Amino acid sequence: MDKKVRVRFAPSPTGGLHLGGVRTALFNYLFAKKNNGTFVLRVEDTDQNRFVEGAEQYIVDCLNWCGIAPDESPNKPGAYGPYRQSERKPSYGKFAEQLISDGYAYYAFDTPEELEAKRKEIPNFQYGQATRMQMRNSLTLTLSEVEELLAAKTPHVVRIKVPEDEIVHFNDLIRGDVSFETSLVDDKVLLKADGMPTYHLAVVVDDKAMEISHAFRGEEWLPSAPIHILLWKYLGWESDMPQWAHLPLILKPDGHGKLSKRDGDRLGFPVYAMNWTDPKTSDVTKGFKEMGFLPEAFINMLALLGWNDGTDQELFSLKELEDKFSIERISKAGAKFDFEKAKWYNHEWIKSESAERLAPSVKIELQKAGIEVKETFLNTVIDLIKDRCTLLPDFVAQSGYFFTSPAEYDVNSVKPKWSAEKADFFNAFAEKLTLTDAAAEEINFKALAEEKGFKPGELMLPFRIMLVGGKFGPGVFDIAVLLGVDETKARIAKAVNLFNS
């Protein structure tokens, strides 16, 4: 690569961070790491109408949780700041003026009412080559009229003057040669009436100022590409233009259309990285983090939505992704989101993680459920049950009984075959408990069962329900050893009384 790799994730602080946005950030991050480059977070906050308080910090928190913190950002400025577009506002106007003076843009004074009237008059109205000479702008007004309007501070925007009958083409690192006919492209607004740039002008000016080498963004931005290519050319920066890579869409589970928050609400899964609380309504939209996903699993799942390393490998650590990532392996086609597969990734990561790594998260889940955690054997409990947990909250149901006696019992699974003889067996077994070793205790259990005339299988399920309340959990003798002699005896006595009643 000729120039130093500098890539940017440039979200708008308008609400929750969609998993498609996180994937864009991830691919930027991986490409930077693979090429000893710099990953930049630039906040595109020029649309003041959509700006939401707290959204910028939320984006930072999401990236930190995912483990893909930027090298440069508003919180960690480098030599290419400022990192918020709103703080760059003075720089955009001069470039808009330069485009006007060079004949590549023009002032448009049309009022909202005039534009609305034109939309009613012309079906599918577009402000461009076919209509610009019917409008109130510096192409149709005299120079003196334009100067008067500007002097009077008449509200106006600046629009790019898209050339007629040209082909704009560029090389996309994912899609190859991409071309557009300018006759199908309208004269986009570059500078709004409040002096703020639109995305089209800002993204070009900012990428130039920040020396961005590669621009990864979603496929939905492809229709805007000709405007941006023209601006790089018109501003005389064509040789500094970043290489483009338009990422495939993340699709609904049925493959029809882009995955949206509404799809998540409808189908019962999150589409945001972390919980987002709307500051106006206080409505909470659930995120993957709060649902119980590990960041490693979330990132692993996202990386394989539209990329693979060419093998059958499905589980990747972030370090492995950094080493193996390549643009050549990104698909052109959209990737269907599968929540069951996402949960599979999480299950696999929970199984493979150490108890030490999982313990802080598990402890939080147990405490949220009002369970007082015994630190002395938390790690042992986690190792016993982690294979049974898909999401972090599953640890509550799968391990809560280690820390607190069951509040409810699956009595119906025991009562039909319960007898005084079984009660006698468990009372006798409780008296003999040593619980020094799970395997030895199982031998003792089976020997006593044989002595009392029972098959061990008849007694295993009642014993499990006595200890955990239901038909689940790891080896029942492993559970008993962890609970200890006194607690196991107390649970047997409590359950025997319940089953006898």
Side-chain angles (χ1 to χ4, degrees):
M1 291 176 190
D2 297 328
K3 55 184 179 179
K4 180 173 167 55
V5 167
R6 287 180 57 79
V7 295
R8 45 66 174 174
F9 175 51
S12 298
T14 56
L17 187 55
H18 187 280
L19 58 91
V22 184
R23 190 193 61 175
T24 298
L26 173 63
F27 284 6
N28 273 289
Y29 173 92
L30 295 176
F31 186 74
K33 295 300 172 192
K34 181 73 181 280
N35 295 287
N36 298 313
T38 303
F39 171 46
V40 178
L41 171 65
R42 183 174 74 218
V43 179
E44 302 204 336
D45 59 348
T46 54
D47 190 342
Q48 295 298 293
N49 294 325
R50 296 180 65 223
F51 175 79
V52 176
E53 197 66 46
E56 181 186 315
Q57 185 58 48
Y58 166 86
I59 291 165
V60 171
D61 292 343
C62 287
L63 297 182
N64 287 340
W65 175 67
C66 291
I68 54 173
D71 302 305
E72 297 174 17
S73 69
N75 298 335
K76 191 181 175 185
Y80 296 86
Y83 292 83
R84 293 186 191 92
Q85 280 187 338
S86 58
E87 294 170 11
R88 292 175 169 271
K89 182 177 176 180
S91 69
Y92 302 111
K94 67 179 181 183
F95 294 112
E97 293 296 331
Q98 178 188 323
L99 290 165
I100 291 168
S101 63
D102 292 344
Y104 297 125
Y106 57 93
Y107 299 110
F109 298 95
D110 317 275
T111 64
E113 293 75 21
E114 288 167 339
L115 290 169
E116 186 56 37
K118 192 59 74 173
R119 287 189 194 100
K120 288 177 179 172
E121 179 189 329
I122 303 173
N124 304 315
F125 168 73
Q126 279 195 317
Y127 203 127
Q129 300 150 48
T131 58
R132 64 169 76 115
M133 298 310 290
Q134 303 169 33
M135 309 302 290
R136 204 158 65 98
N137 53 52
S138 55
L139 302 176
T140 58
L141 299 167
T142 65
L143 181 59
S144 61
E145 286 174 322
V146 171
E147 287 173 348
E148 279 178 30
L149 289 167
L150 292 175
K153 294 191 168 23
T154 306
H156 63 278
V157 299
V158 174
R159 290 181 179 272
I160 186 172
K161 187 181 178 189
V162 176
E164 296 181 30
D165 301 323
E166 285 188 17
I167 301 293
V168 174
H169 70 92
F170 67 96
N171 181 62
D172 187 283
L173 293 170
I174 297 170
R175 295 157 200 286
D177 188 66
V178 179
S179 60
F180 294 89
E181 296 177 28
T182 57
S183 58
L184 303 175
V185 181
D186 57 326
D187 292 354
K188 298 291 186 193
V189 173
L190 303 179
L191 204 67
K192 294 178 279 190
D194 62 1
M196 277 291 196
T198 61
Y199 173 78
H200 305 295
L201 179 61
V203 74
V204 172
V205 171
D206 292 349
D207 282 353
K208 164 67 175 167
M210 291 184 157
E211 298 183 13
I212 299 302
S213 63
H214 297 76
F216 291 81
R217 61 185 183 183
E219 177 187 322
E220 62 269 32
W221 288 107
L222 261 176
S224 300
I227 295 292
H228 305 155
I229 306 293
L230 289 171
L231 287 173
W232 280 97
K233 177 181 172 184
Y234 291 165
L235 289 164
W237 301 335
E238 206 167 3
S239 61
D240 296 322
M241 185 169 68
Q243 291 184 266
W244 302 94
H246 287 85
L247 304 174
L249 295 176
I250 297 178
L251 304 173
K252 302 172 195 280
D254 64 7
H256 299 302
K258 183 180 172 184
L259 181 71
S260 71
K261 177 182 170 295
R262 285 188 300 278
D263 297 315
D265 293 342
R266 179 171 55 87
L267 298 169
F269 57 74
V271 298
Y272 288 167
M274 289 168 58
N275 275 12
W276 168 251
T277 304
D278 188 308
K280 291 180 181 171
T281 64
S282 297
D283 289 343
V284 177
T285 304
K286 199 152 195 175
F288 281 86
K289 176 178 183 279
E290 289 76 10
M291 184 165 268
F293 277 76
L294 297 177
E296 295 87 348
F298 180 59
I299 284 297
N300 190 164
M301 175 270 295
L302 276 185
L304 272 74
L305 283 174
W307 174 86
N308 68 76
D309 73 338
T311 73
D312 292 332
Q313 183 176 344
E314 291 191 276
L315 298 176
F316 294 86
S317 68
L318 186 57
K319 183 68 178 71
E320 285 179 301
L321 290 170
E322 290 171 19
D323 293 340
K324 296 189 175 188
F325 183 77
S326 67
I327 294 180
E328 293 74 25
R329 298 296 313 174
I330 297 176
S331 168
K332 295 184 186 70
K336 283 195 281 190
F337 178 71
D338 180 347
F339 187 54
E340 291 307 310
K341 185 70 173 182
K343 289 194 292 186
W344 177 84
Y345 280 110
N346 207 55
H347 182 50
E348 293 300 313
W349 270 97
I350 284 176
K351 286 196 299 185
S352 67
E353 285 286 16
S354 69
E356 288 77 13
R357 160 73 182 83
L358 292 168
S361 300
V362 173
K363 186 177 176 182
I364 288 169
E365 294 297 336
L366 290 167
Q367 288 172 336
K368 281 195 294 192
I371 295 169
E372 189 177 330
V373 178
K374 294 182 180 71
E375 301 274 2
T376 48
F377 60 78
L378 177 60
N379 286 0
T380 310
V381 169
I382 290 171
D383 276 331
L384 264 181
I385 63 160
K386 64 183 184 180
D387 286 10
R388 302 164 183 275
C389 299
T390 298
L391 301 169
L392 288 173
D394 295 344
F395 278 92
V396 175
Q398 293 291 344
S399 72
Y401 54 84
F402 281 107
F403 306 101
T404 183
S405 183
E408 295 179 0
Y409 294 84
D410 183 3
V411 176
N412 293 334
S413 293
V414 178
K415 285 282 269 189
K417 295 183 179 179
W418 186 252
S419 65
E421 289 76 17
K422 285 184 179 178
D424 175 60
F425 166 83
F426 280 106
N427 288 330
F429 176 62
E431 288 304 313
K432 293 174 178 285
L433 278 175
T434 60
L435 294 179
T436 53
D437 175 78
E441 204 60 60
E442 185 171 2
I443 291 168
N444 296 337
F445 184 91
K446 289 179 176 177
L448 183 62
E450 193 173 327
E451 182 187 315
K452 297 279 188 184
F454 289 109
K455 292 177 181 175
E458 296 177 68
L459 303 166
M460 286 292 210
L461 180 61
F463 187 34
R464 176 176 295 282
I465 290 173
M466 287 172 179
L467 298 188
V468 309
K471 296 186 284 188
F472 59 89
V476 71
F477 296 100
D478 292 316
I479 296 170
V481 167
L482 268 184
L483 291 176
V485 173
D486 291 344
E487 181 63 23
T488 300
K489 280 185 173 182
R491 293 192 186 188
I492 290 173
K494 179 182 174 185
V496 166
N497 287 335
L498 180 68
F499 299 157
N500 282 339
S501 64

